[in-house]
Every structure is written in C-alpha cells, then in structure tokens.
Amino acid sequence: MSTETQELPKVESINNQSLLAEQYVKVDQIWKTAISNIQLTGAKSLKCHVERPDSGSSTGGYLMLYLNEITPNVEPIIRQFHSGKGDFNAEVASDAIDFTKNNYVLAYAPHYSDNVKIVVSSAKIFFGSPIDLRLSACTHISHEIKSVTSFYKFDSNPLGFGYYNSWMIIREGSTFGEGRQVGIAQLDHNDPAQGIKVVSTIEFLKRGQTYNVSTTIYSTVRPVAGYTFTITK
C-alpha cells in the first residue's frame, strides 16, 4: 500500500462544465497481487512472499506449484489455502518436489465464493532459479471530468488473462472492488497483457469523492489489482 500525490495538467471546460482542472488527485491506496522474494531452501522446499489486497471480498487464496507449466484441467503438485486478506509469507515443501531435476511454476489464485481458480500471479522456477515473475497491477495516470486513465498489467497464462476476459471498473468508495459503479470498460483476453486504458464515467467526477479503480478477471466481481484516488476539494 502506498500514498502519493500527482498534479493534473490544466484542462479547459467542456459544455460549460468546469473540469477538475488545476486540482490535485490524491492516490490513497494501491493494491496488487504478486509473488516475490522466492528462496529455494532445499531441493524440495522454498519460501516466498505473496502480496495481495487487504480490502475487498476475497476470502483468501491458493498458492500452487505446477510441474513444468500451468495447464488447465491438470492438478498442481501442491495447493495451499491461505485465508484472510493482505500479504503473507509461505513455505512450500514436499517429497514430490525436486528442484534439481524438474522445472516448476509457482502460482497464486485468489478465492471467491464461486471457487473458480484464476491465476493472477506466477513465477517460473527453471533449473533451480526463480525467473519471469509476473503480477497483476493497476495504477493511476490521470483523470478528466468524465474519464479515468490507468495503467494495467496482468499475468497472461492459461488460467488467467490470456484465456479469460477482464474489465476495468470505477466505483465510488474506498473498498477494493466494491461500491456504486460509475464506469466500466472491457479488456479482451486477446489484448496485450499490459497497457493504458481510458474508462469513461456515467457522470461527472465529484470533488471530495473517493473512487476505487479495479481490474477484474473472469467476472466483474473478481478484482485482482487496483487503487483508490480522491479528488481534493
């Protein structure tokens, strides 16, 4: 979670409505899902850190280890459930693992009530070394009176973006992926896994209002990354 303040460029009024020009936007919180600090502690074990949102409706998630690659309809060698919200540290160990002989993919999937496992962060472990760490992230770039521009990044994999469509959604309030929806745009699974997206809103953005922007995969109620911003009065 981080805090930053960005100055917006001056913009002129449109249709006699004052844009939120010469104002500051305060980015209050940034949420992402990422596996990091992977350390192999032996031929059959590792430690890692998982960053995940500390807000929203997710009730935990699955840390999984696949042999060679993520493959639909093939069960991972290891599946651990980690309840709650926010970051956690984990250890993965099993006699079924041999980092000296095989390659693996370490993956994380948040848990929601529909129990569909969507991988939103992963890392390859090739020849005993973690490489190609992938994450889900979404950050603020700018906004105008009826639109918000954000940078997004997904982990493109056979059980995530690249297979399932995604959405970028703007809602009122500071709870991750919740609140009254005021803007939405689809990101097709054939689109690039990272880029810039402009989302139009159904009404003028309000001074003093906090909004949360989230990217979701598979459905509009499965947020994986995002941020909140408040337009100062």
Side-chain angles (χ1 to χ4, degrees), residues 37 39 41 44-50 63-65 78-82 88-94 97 99 106:
N37 298 331
Q39 301 176 31
T41 55
K44 299 179 179 296
S45 61
L46 64 77
K47 294 181 179 180
C48 69
H49 181 74
V50 177
L63 186 65
M64 302 174 288
L65 189 70
I78 301 293
R79 179 188 286 123
Q80 299 177 346
F81 181 72
H82 294 266
F88 65 91
N89 295 313
E91 295 185 23
V92 176
S94 172
I97 302 170
F99 291 122
L106 186 64

Side-chain angles (χ1 to χ4, degrees), residues 179-191:
R180 187 174 76 93
Q181 180 178 302
V182 297
I184 185 170
Q186 187 176 39
L187 294 159
D188 188 88
H189 67 275
N190 291 315
D191 289 344

Side-chain angles (χ1 to χ4, degrees), residues 162-197:
Y163 183 80
Y164 296 107
N165 289 332
S166 176
W167 290 264
M168 186 176 289
I169 304 173
I170 306 169
R171 293 183 171 95
E172 290 183 340
S174 59
T175 302
F176 179 53
E178 297 182 13
R180 187 174 76 93
Q181 180 178 302
V182 297
I184 185 170
Q186 187 176 39
L187 294 159
D188 188 88
H189 67 275
N190 291 315
D191 289 344
Q194 69 177 50
I196 295 172
K197 190 71 175 178

Side-chain angles (χ1 to χ4, degrees), residues 25-52:
V25 55
K26 181 183 179 185
V27 178
D28 304 292
Q29 295 178 300
I30 296 176
W31 296 291
K32 65 180 178 179
T33 307
I35 301 172
S36 61
N37 298 331
I38 301 172
Q39 301 176 31
L40 272 61
T41 55
K44 299 179 179 296
S45 61
L46 64 77
K47 294 181 179 180
C48 69
H49 181 74
V50 177
E51 299 175 71
R52 61 183 180 180

Side-chain angles (χ1 to χ4, degrees), residues 107-175:
Y108 180 78
H111 173 71
Y112 289 92
S113 58
D114 58 13
N115 207 33
V116 178
K117 295 176 180 63
I118 310 296
V119 173
V120 299
S121 180
S122 66
K124 296 177 182 178
I125 303 175
F126 277 12
F127 305 106
S129 297
I131 62 170
D132 195 18
L133 276 65
R134 299 183 179 186
L135 74 160
S136 295
C138 180
T139 57
H140 180 270
I141 294 178
S142 66
H143 72 268
E144 295 188 10
I145 192 167
K146 289 189 70 177
S147 68
V148 178
T149 303
S150 307
F151 170 81
Y152 68 88
K153 185 176 180 65
F154 291 104
D155 177 357
S156 182
N157 66 76
L159 285 176
F161 188 80
Y163 183 80
Y164 296 107
N165 289 332
S166 176
W167 290 264
M168 186 176 289
I169 304 173
I170 306 169
R171 293 183 171 95
E172 290 183 340
S174 59
T175 302

